[in-house]
Amino acid sequence: MACAKVPLDELHVTEPIGAQGQERTLPALHPDRKEERCFLSYKPPPEDGTPALTEEFLEHAQFISEDLDWLLALPHDKFWCQVVFDESLQRCLDSYLRHAPRGLDPSGLSSSPAVADMQRNIHRSVFMVFLRMATHKESKEHFITPEVFAEIIYNNYLFDIPKILDVCVLFGKGNSQLLHKMIENIFTQQPSYYGDLNETIPSIIQVFDTILQMCGIQSEDTGTGQPLKLNANKRHTTMTMPEEELADLVLYMCDTCTTIHSFLDIFPEACTSFKEHNFLNRLSSFYEMAVPDLEKAVKKRNFDKSFQEDMWRRISHSRKKMVEIAHLLLQHTCLQPILEGTESMASCVDDLLQNFTAFLPEKRFLADYDEQFSIADDISLLQQAFPHLDDTRTSYLLQGVESAWECVGKQRSFPSSANHSAGAKSMTGRDLAASQKEGAGVLGDRDELRGAEAMTDVPHKGDNGAVCTVSAGELESLLTHIRDLLPDLGEGFILACLEEYGYNSELVINNVLEDKLPPSIDKLDRAMARPAKKELPSVLSTRSNAFDDDEFDVFNRERLDMSRIWKGRRERESVRATLEDKQHIEEQRARYQAYQTVVDEIPVENDPLRDRDDAFGTYDYDDEYDDTYDVNQIGANDLDEEDELLNRRPFTIPQVLRRGKQAREDVADEEEEEDENETVKKDQFVQDPAVLRERAEARRAAMQSRKGYRPPPASHVEGGPRGRGQTQDTVLDRRRKEANKSRGANHNRRTMADRKRNKGMIPS
C-alpha cells in the first residue's frame, strides 16, 4: 500500500508475484508496473463523408476514446507509469497533435453528428491527458517532487516546444486560463524549456525566409551571409508555381502565424524571448514582401472559385494574426511595463518609439497595424505616462502613419492625431490599455479588389455607434469559433446574433448560454441555415474590350477557324504543294471564257440599211458623212522630187550590166561581209578565250607604248646545264639577282635587326 504524503518518486509499493503468494517491493515508477495496452494512432475524420470511411473512423476513434478514458481513470502512480514507459501512448498523443483539424481546416464534422461527437470526446480526453501530465501535484497525498517532475517531463520528452505550440493552437479557445497555468508550471519547474525556446525561434524565422524563397523573393536580411546561388533565378514565383505548391505555401504560412499567435496569447512570458531575437522587425519585413505577392497571385490567377475563396480566407487570417503577434510583442514588452510604472519605463518608451520608427518603411504593415491598433492612441498613452516626450519625434511618427495610409491607398475612418479626441487625455492608463486590447478596428482590405466574390466586408455598428466593417475572413473566423462551442446552432442564427451584438462573439456565446437573447432573435429558428449569397454578374458579361465579337472571340463564338491559329512559327507549304496548287488557274478560268467566242466571218445582207439591229453592230449609218471625194485616188497624182526617190533607196547597177572586174570585186566584198556577219553571229554567244587574251594583250601593249613604258629585259637566270658553261647574259642576271634580292620577301632580316638595334628597340 502507498504511504500518505510521500512523493511518487520516493514511494515504493509491494506487489504479489506468482501463484504462491510471494511479494516484491518496487519503486512506484517502474517499467514492470506498466499495463500492456496498445494505443492506436489518431486519424482525422474523412472530408468527403463517405459512409464506409465514416464507419471506419468511428470504429477507430472508439478504441482511442476508450483507451484514453481508461488512462484518465488510473490512479496517480499507475497513470505516471503508463505515461513514462508506454511508447504507444506518446505516439497516439503526437499523432493527434499532428493530424487534428485546426480552425480553418476542412473537416467532415458537419457531415455526421456522430463524427462530431466522437471528435469532441477525443479532443476533450487528449486535453485532459496533457493537463494531468503537466500537473506535478494532484492533491496533498498524490504529488511528485518538483525537481524530479522537471527531469521526468524533460528527459522523457513528455513536453517539448513543438508540442506546447500545438497544444496552444488546438486547445486555446475557451481554455486559455487553464493552458496558461499548465505552460507556466512547465516553464517554472523546468527552466531548460526557455533555452529550447531560444533555439526554436531562429527556426521560426527560417520558416519566413523559406516562404520568401519559395515565392521567388530574396530576403534582404537572411542572416546567413551566403551568396546568391546561380540557379536562384530559375525558381518559381507565385504567378508561375503550380496550384498545389501555392496552396501548400499559403497553408504553411497560415498555420505558422496561427500557432505563434496562440502561444504568445496564452503564454505572454515568451514575448521577451521573441524580442531578443529581433522577431518583430523580421515579421514586419516578411509581411511587407510576402503578403502583397500572395494576394496578387490569388486575385490574378485563374483558380477555381472555391479554391480562390479558401486561399483568400487563409491569407486574410494570416494577415490578422501577424498584426496581432506584433501587438502582443509590443504590449507585453513595452506598453505593459509603462502602464505598471516600473523602473525601466523610460527605456520601454524609447524602445516602443524605435519599433514604431522601424515600421515606417513597411507601408502596408504599418497601415494594417494602425487600422487594427491605433498608433495615435499608443502615443497618447506615452504622452500621459511620460510628459517629457519629444513632440518632434511623435509628430514624425504620426506623419509617417499618414503617409503609409496614402501609399496603400486606404481611407481612414477616424482621425490620426495624438490629440484627435478631447477625451483621450482624460482616459486612465488601464482604460486605454483595455481599449487597445479589444482592438481599434478590424484588419481588412476594404478598398482593394477581393480575390473572390465571397471576400466582401460586412458593415456593423461598434460600441460608439460608428459604422465599422468586418472582413469576410474575420466573419468566417467568428462563425467557426461559435460553432465549435455551440455546434447545434445554424449559421443563419449565429449571423443574426452577431449582427445584433456588434459582431462580439463573447457576448453572443454568453447570451445564448444564459438564454438572454432579445425577442427578435429568440423567436428565430436556432437551426436556421445561412442565407444564400447573391450571384454577382460574371466578368465576361460586363467586360468591354476592343476585340469583342472579332473572329477570335472565344467567349462569344462557338466555333473558330482553327486553320488560322497556330503555335509558334507557322510551317510554310512545300515547293511540291505550291506547284500542285492550281487554284489560280481556276480563278482565271472565268476571265478567259469570255474570249472563247471567235467570229471569223460576219454575214452582211445586201442592204444593211434594212437591218439596223444586227447582232454584231457592224453597220452604223452616219448621216453627216461627206462622200464627195470617195472616187478620187489619193496620192496618185502627187509629184515626187528626184532626191526623195534616191534617198529612199540607193541606186544599184544590175548584175547583168556589170563588167567583169567590177563584178568580181563586188562579189568578193559581199562574201567578206557575209563571212564577218557569220563570224560575229557565231561568236556572239561565247567567244574563244584565246582570241580574247590576244586582244587584251594587244591593247595592253598599245597602252604601254603610248605611256613610254619599257618592259624589263628577259631573264636568263636559269641558264643551261652544269658543266657546259654559262652565257654572259646568264652570269650578269645571276649577279644582279644576288645584289638586289634583299629588297623583298624576308631576305633582309639581318639588316632590319641592325636597324631596330640602332634605334634602341632591341636591348643590346
Side-chain angles (χ1 to χ4, degrees):
M1 295 296 294
C3 298
K5 296 184 180 181
V6 178
L8 183 62
D9 52 286
E10 299 178 3
L11 183 65
H12 290 73
V13 294
T14 302
E15 294 182 350
I17 302 177
Q20 299 178 359
Q22 298 179 357
E23 296 181 350
R24 65 172 181 176
T25 302
L26 295 174
L29 287 176
H30 195 273
D32 293 342
R33 302 195 65 209
K34 179 190 65 141
E35 297 290 340
E36 294 298 332
R37 197 178 188 96
C38 181
F39 289 83
L40 299 178
S41 298
Y42 172 81
K43 294 181 180 179
E47 297 181 4
D48 52 0
T50 306
L53 297 178
T54 302
E55 183 179 357
E56 179 184 359
F57 168 78
L58 291 175
E59 182 179 1
H60 187 86
Q62 183 66 31
F63 289 123
I64 298 176
S65 179
E66 292 176 357
D67 291 340
L68 293 178
D69 292 341
W70 170 84
L71 177 67
L72 292 172
L74 292 176
H76 185 254
D77 56 341
K78 288 285 188 178
F79 173 82
W80 279 100
C81 288
Q82 204 72 27
V83 166
V84 174
F85 302 113
D86 193 347
E87 296 181 358
S88 64
L89 172 61
Q90 297 302 321
R91 287 196 296 268
C92 175
L93 298 177
D94 292 346
S95 64
Y96 185 82
L97 295 180
R98 185 180 302 110
H99 299 295
R102 269 61 173 173
L104 295 178
D105 293 343
S107 62
L109 302 180
S110 59
S111 60
S112 173
V115 174
D117 293 339
M118 184 60 66
Q119 176 65 25
R120 192 181 302 108
N121 293 334
I122 296 178
H123 188 79
R124 179 184 178 279
S125 299
V126 172
F127 175 66
M128 295 303 296
V129 170
F130 277 112
L131 192 62
R132 193 174 181 184
M133 287 168 52
T135 305
H136 69 284
K137 185 178 181 180
E138 294 185 2
S139 64
K140 294 181 179 180
E141 293 79 14
H142 304 96
F143 64 95
I144 306 175
T145 306
E147 294 77 8
V148 178
F149 170 77
E151 294 180 358
I152 289 176
I153 62 174
Y154 192 78
N155 296 334
N156 293 282
Y157 296 96
L158 300 184
F159 289 99
D160 53 26
I161 299 301
K163 283 185 180 180
I164 294 174
L165 294 176
D166 287 334
V167 167
C168 290
V169 74
L170 284 175
F171 307 105
K173 289 184 178 180
N175 305 303
S176 57
Q177 294 182 356
L178 285 176
L179 281 177
H180 177 73
K181 293 180 180 180
M182 165 183 160
I183 298 174
E184 185 181 22
N185 186 56
I186 293 173
F187 277 83
T188 302
Q189 303 300 333
Q190 181 54 274
S192 298
Y193 282 109
Y194 281 105
D196 294 348
L197 179 61
N198 289 327
E199 295 179 359
T200 305
I201 294 175
S203 301
I204 298 175
I205 296 176
Q206 184 62 36
V207 169
F208 293 153
D209 295 336
T210 302
I211 294 175
L212 291 177
Q213 292 177 3
M214 294 177 66
C215 293
I217 303 173
Q218 183 65 23
S219 177
E220 298 178 358
D221 185 15
T222 57
T224 58
Q226 297 179 356
L228 186 64
K229 295 182 179 181
L230 294 178
N231 59 350
N233 295 328
K234 297 181 180 179
R235 293 192 184 98
H236 288 294
T237 62
T238 54
M239 298 298 295
T240 58
M241 67 173 55
E243 181 177 334
E244 295 78 8
E245 294 185 10
L246 182 61
D248 293 341
L249 195 65
V250 174
L251 293 177
Y252 193 24
M253 180 183 69
C254 182
D255 185 63
T256 302
C257 297
T258 305
T259 303
I260 298 173
H261 174 265
S262 301
F263 175 66
L264 294 179
D265 188 30
I266 293 171
F267 188 61
E269 290 82 354
C271 293
T272 305
S273 300
F274 278 82
K275 177 187 175 184
E276 293 175 354
H277 289 80
N278 198 22
F279 183 81
L280 193 57
N281 292 336
R282 298 299 299 274
L283 179 67
S284 61
S285 177
F286 169 79
Y287 186 99
E288 191 72 18
M289 290 188 289
V291 169
D293 195 58
L294 291 173
E295 287 183 346
K296 178 182 177 182
V298 173
K299 288 190 293 187
K300 298 295 184 182
R301 296 183 63 176
N302 187 17
F303 291 133
D304 182 69
K305 182 180 178 181
S306 59
F307 175 81
Q308 194 175 31
E309 291 179 358
D310 183 61
M311 290 298 100
W312 188 269
R313 182 170 61 253
R314 293 181 183 275
I315 292 175
S316 301
H317 183 76
S318 303
R319 290 174 53 197
K320 182 176 182 297
K321 293 304 177 183
M322 281 189 280
V323 171
E324 291 179 353
I325 290 171
H327 179 69
L328 286 174
L329 294 176
L330 294 177
Q331 176 74 24
H332 294 288
T333 59
C334 300
L335 292 174
Q336 195 67 31
I338 295 174
L339 294 176
E340 295 174 356
T342 59
E343 297 179 356
S344 60
M345 183 174 64
S347 61
C348 291
V349 170
D350 186 68
D351 192 13
L352 181 62
L353 294 178
Q354 287 183 359
N355 286 317
F356 285 155
T357 306
F359 291 163
L360 292 180
E362 319 297 344
K363 303 294 185 182
R364 179 70 178 274
F365 177 80
L366 182 61
D368 290 344
Y369 181 90
D370 184 65
E371 184 178 5
Q372 190 168 2
F373 305 101
S374 176
I375 296 178
D377 292 343
D378 293 339
I379 293 178
S380 177
L381 173 64
L382 297 182
Q383 290 175 345
Q384 297 177 35
F386 201 76
H388 302 289
L389 194 63
D390 188 4
D391 294 336
T392 304
R393 191 173 184 182
T394 56
S395 300
Y396 174 73
L397 287 175
L398 294 176
Q399 290 177 2
V401 174
E402 289 290 343
S403 176
W405 280 84
E406 293 176 359
C407 291
V408 175
K410 292 184 177 181
Q411 295 181 357
R412 307 185 62 166
S413 58
F414 53 88
S416 62
S417 175
N419 301 320
H420 66 279
S421 177
K425 292 187 177 181
S426 62
M427 293 176 63
T428 62
R430 296 185 180 274
D431 295 337
L432 187 57
S435 66
Q436 288 179 343
K437 186 174 182 180
E438 293 176 359
V442 180
L443 177 64
D445 198 2
R446 297 185 296 271
D447 298 332
E448 294 186 4
L449 177 65
R450 296 298 185 183
E453 294 177 5
M455 299 298 110
T456 56
D457 295 326
V458 180
H460 69 91
K461 290 187 178 181
D463 298 336
N464 56 358
V467 178
C468 307
T469 57
V470 173
S471 64
E474 179 69 15
L475 182 61
E476 294 295 333
S477 179
L478 293 174
L479 289 173
T480 305
H481 173 49
I482 297 175
R483 282 184 61 83
D484 288 343
L485 299 177
L486 304 171
D488 297 334
L489 301 180
E491 291 188 358
F493 181 78
I494 297 175
L495 219 68
C497 294
L498 288 173
E499 293 176 357
E500 179 68 23
Y501 292 104
Y503 292 86
N504 191 331
S505 59
E506 296 180 359
L507 287 177
V508 172
I509 296 172
N510 183 55
N511 292 333
V512 169
L513 294 177
E514 296 181 0
D515 199 13
K516 294 182 180 180
L517 296 174
S520 59
I521 301 296
D522 195 17
K523 65 181 182 181
L524 297 178
D525 183 12
R526 301 209 170 193
M528 181 175 60
R530 191 173 184 176
K533 300 176 183 178
K534 295 182 179 180
E535 291 292 337
L536 298 178
S538 62
V539 179
L540 296 178
S541 62
T542 58
R543 72 165 193 167
S544 179
N545 195 287
F547 302 101
D548 286 346
D549 300 324
D550 63 358
E551 57 179 333
F552 299 111
D553 190 357
V554 296
F555 302 108
N556 296 326
R557 291 181 178 271
E558 296 181 357
R559 295 183 180 180
L560 300 179
D561 186 6
M562 301 304 295
S563 62
R564 299 198 57 192
I565 302 175
W566 62 86
K567 184 178 181 181
R569 179 177 293 180
R570 186 178 185 181
E571 296 182 359
R572 297 188 177 183
E573 298 180 354
S574 61
V575 179
R576 181 179 297 276
T578 303
L579 295 177
E580 293 178 354
D581 186 10
K582 306 301 182 181
Q583 183 178 0
H584 62 285
I585 297 178
E586 298 296 332
E587 294 175 354
Q588 300 295 333
R589 185 180 301 277
R591 177 180 297 179
Y592 287 99
Q593 284 180 352
Y595 299 98
Q596 289 182 354
T597 304
V598 179
V599 181
D600 295 333
E601 296 182 359
I602 301 176
V604 180
E605 298 293 338
N606 294 331
D607 188 5
L609 297 178
R610 292 182 303 175
D611 189 7
R612 299 184 180 181
D613 298 331
D614 57 333
F616 301 99
T618 56
Y619 180 77
D620 189 10
Y621 175 73
D622 187 5
D623 189 51
E624 301 297 331
Y625 179 71
D626 187 6
D627 55 357
T628 305
Y629 302 99
D630 286 349
V631 296
N632 297 336
Q633 296 182 3
I634 300 174
N637 300 326
D638 291 345
L639 298 176
D640 297 330
E641 297 181 358
E642 184 178 357
D643 295 338
E644 288 181 324
L645 297 177
L646 294 177
N647 290 335
R648 293 178 182 175
R649 183 176 181 182
F651 176 75
T652 304
I653 300 176
Q655 188 175 1
V656 180
L657 301 177
R658 296 176 186 174
R659 295 184 179 180
K661 182 178 181 181
Q662 185 178 4
R664 288 192 300 270
E665 290 177 357
D666 294 339
V667 171
D669 293 339
E670 291 178 359
E671 291 178 355
E672 289 179 0
E673 291 178 1
E674 291 177 0
D675 293 341
E676 290 179 0
N677 294 335
E678 291 178 0
T679 303
V680 173
K681 290 180 181 179
K682 182 178 182 181
D683 296 339
Q684 187 175 3
F685 182 67
V686 177
Q687 298 185 12
D688 188 5
V691 176
L692 296 177
R693 285 195 295 270
E694 291 178 358
R695 294 178 181 175
E697 185 65 26
R699 288 195 299 270
R700 190 181 303 108
M703 182 180 63
Q704 291 176 354
S705 63
R706 288 195 301 270
K707 294 182 178 181
Y709 173 76
R710 294 180 59 187
S715 176
H716 302 84
V717 177
E718 296 181 0
R722 292 184 179 181
R724 297 184 181 180
Q726 303 294 339
T727 61
Q728 185 67 20
D729 294 338
T730 302
V731 174
L732 293 177
D733 289 343
R734 289 181 178 179
R735 187 180 303 167
R736 188 183 302 106
K737 178 181 178 182
E738 183 68 20
N740 298 324
K741 71 178 183 179
S742 63
R743 291 186 305 129
N746 200 21
H747 301 289
N748 56 348
R749 289 191 295 255
R750 182 174 299 174
T751 304
M752 297 304 295
D754 294 340
R755 182 181 178 186
K756 291 181 180 180
R757 188 177 294 108
N758 294 335
K759 291 186 177 182
M761 300 176 65
I762 301 177
S764 56

